[in-house]
Amino acid sequence: MAVANFAPLHHHHFRRCHWHCSPPNSSSMLISKAWFLSRNLSPAKITHGQLVNCSPSPSSTSPEVSATTAESSVNLGLSLFSKGRVKDALEQFDTALTLDPNPVEAQAALYNKACCHAYREEAKKAAECLRTALREYDLKFGTILNDPDLASFRAMPEFKELQEEARLGGEDIGYGFRRDLKLISEVQAPFRGIRRFFYVAFTAAAGISLFLTIPRLFAAIKGGDGAPDLLQTSENAGINIGGIIVFVALFLWDNKKEEEQLAQITRNETLSRLPLRLSTNRIVELVQLRDTARPVILAGKKETVDSAMRKAERFRTDLLWRGVILVPVIWGERREPRAEKKGFGVSPKAAASLPSIGEDFDKRTQSVVANSKIKAEIRFRAEVVSAVEWERWIRDQQKAESITPGEDVYIILRLDGRVRKSGLGMPDWQEIVKEVPPMEDLLSKLER
């Protein structure tokens, strides 16, 4: 299977305020302040994809002040959303779109409207709102990838379609995401542009030469005094034609490889955002394990995965010494049941195990202290959260590698997130112990 990297796209470092335009003006700053007040200082607590303890309270049932501007409508919608009143929030976001909003306000209204539709499991409506925001209001696709409120949407086919459209680019979706992907692709393949330049230059040279050779070829065929040699002229024409064919084929081959690379980068970004539950019941995204662990993904039937896990226990000490953390993914199992919708509430116990988001989330993923805490919590095994998203990513990876989706496979990641080894079936743990260096080894330090 191809090389993967679970580092996030570095072009998208977003604050959790649902206003994703820059540079901010006074209006957007005011709205962002209202957003943080409504999200961070209210009784509601934001968690990974859900708002906790946000069921309507007696005080929240009083009529809200009517919103008369797009900005106030969006802020009122956010306030209603935080109280679990999704239907009323949707009405406010729709109202904001009818009040001549500026681009910042329109983007925010569409984006938060999509979050409401995602919560109501209206995937098609959510996709249309996001598509409009991407096309007309410069919404960054990385925002959609990173937002916990859209986690349920990312597990649906409509997200896959939207992501593919964004990867390919076009008038219906905009070119922002594809442009960012191409920047990453250029870093990974820095000489592709140079190769293409020479392909075009040599093709043009061969074309010009062929253009000048054709009249000489006709003259050689007619014969007569002063006619060029037919054999030599034919050889020149053949060389030019062959050169054109070869360089055009190389150019097309390079384009195909670039598209494959862009698709792989897209899958890598999806992989980086897949959530895991550590042994301490803490939920982290895979990217947060970078430099601290080597995840080994075991995907297959229950009996196969269980057998591989039991065999790994024999080498537990050696594997832990090498930073290995097992991530079992069983086909068709461990799918989260649909929870009864009562506002946005989940149990306090569940909420406590979920990570915070927003600025604190960004700081935590980048701080040395947070990384050391995560490292201390890592044990031998982690459980997948949102198994549907994990299974979909693995199946997409299998299709990309021409492997029948649903086959038993394993994927061993390096400390830097790239794939060290992968294959059909389950891994040979004794061989892995021999191949993978200990965490304190020089090779492991270079791997970071």
Side-chain angles (χ1 to χ4, degrees), residues 192-378:
R192 178 176 286 126
I194 298 175
R195 291 198 304 269
R196 285 178 171 174
F197 171 79
F198 283 111
Y199 295 156
V200 173
F202 290 150
T203 300
I208 294 173
S209 178
L210 179 63
F211 178 77
L212 298 176
T213 302
I214 288 177
R216 291 176 55 81
L217 180 61
F218 284 140
I221 293 174
K222 289 182 179 180
D225 295 338
D229 182 71
L230 178 60
L231 180 59
Q232 185 178 7
T233 306
S234 300
E235 288 178 353
N236 291 338
I239 291 172
N240 290 328
I241 293 173
I244 292 173
I245 293 174
V246 169
F247 290 123
V248 169
L250 288 173
F251 187 86
L252 296 176
W253 176 82
D254 226 337
N255 280 350
K256 180 181 178 181
K257 288 299 180 182
E258 182 185 39
E259 290 301 322
E260 292 176 355
Q261 187 180 37
L262 295 180
Q264 183 63 49
I265 295 171
T266 304
R267 289 193 299 273
N268 294 347
E269 173 61 16
T270 303
L271 174 64
S272 73
R273 295 303 171 187
L274 293 179
L276 286 172
R277 189 188 305 276
L278 302 180
S279 60
T280 56
N281 210 32
R282 181 180 182 181
I283 293 178
V284 298
E285 291 179 337
L286 194 60
V287 66
Q288 292 174 258
L289 302 183
R290 187 181 184 188
D291 296 337
T292 61
R294 293 184 172 102
V296 177
I297 303 170
L298 307 174
K301 298 182 287 294
K302 180 176 175 57
E303 56 271 18
T304 306
V305 174
D306 287 347
S307 175
M309 297 288 288
R310 287 193 299 270
K311 292 178 180 178
E313 285 291 339
R314 305 173 191 171
F315 303 91
R316 182 187 182 94
T317 302
D318 291 328
L319 292 174
L320 283 173
W321 197 21
R322 287 158 174 78
V324 169
I325 179 170
L326 305 181
V327 183
V329 180
I330 298 175
W331 298 135
E333 289 194 9
R334 301 193 65 81
R335 298 181 184 274
E336 292 74 11
R338 289 167 59 108
E340 182 182 356
K341 293 183 181 179
K342 295 181 180 179
F344 291 84
V346 297
S347 67
K349 182 178 180 181
S353 68
L354 297 173
S356 62
I357 59 174
E359 289 184 307
D360 290 339
F361 178 82
D362 290 333
K363 291 178 181 177
R364 188 182 70 245
T365 59
Q366 296 175 15
S367 68
V368 175
V369 174
N371 285 338
S372 64
K373 289 181 179 179
I374 292 174
K375 185 176 181 179
E377 293 180 13
I378 292 173

Side-chain angles (χ1 to χ4, degrees), residues 382-402:
E383 295 182 1
V384 299
V385 178
S386 186
V388 174
E389 290 189 73
W390 276 89
E391 187 171 327
R392 174 167 293 163
W393 181 86
I394 295 172
R395 291 181 183 273
D396 287 344
Q397 189 75 1
Q398 288 177 324
K399 290 178 182 178
E401 300 301 323
S402 301

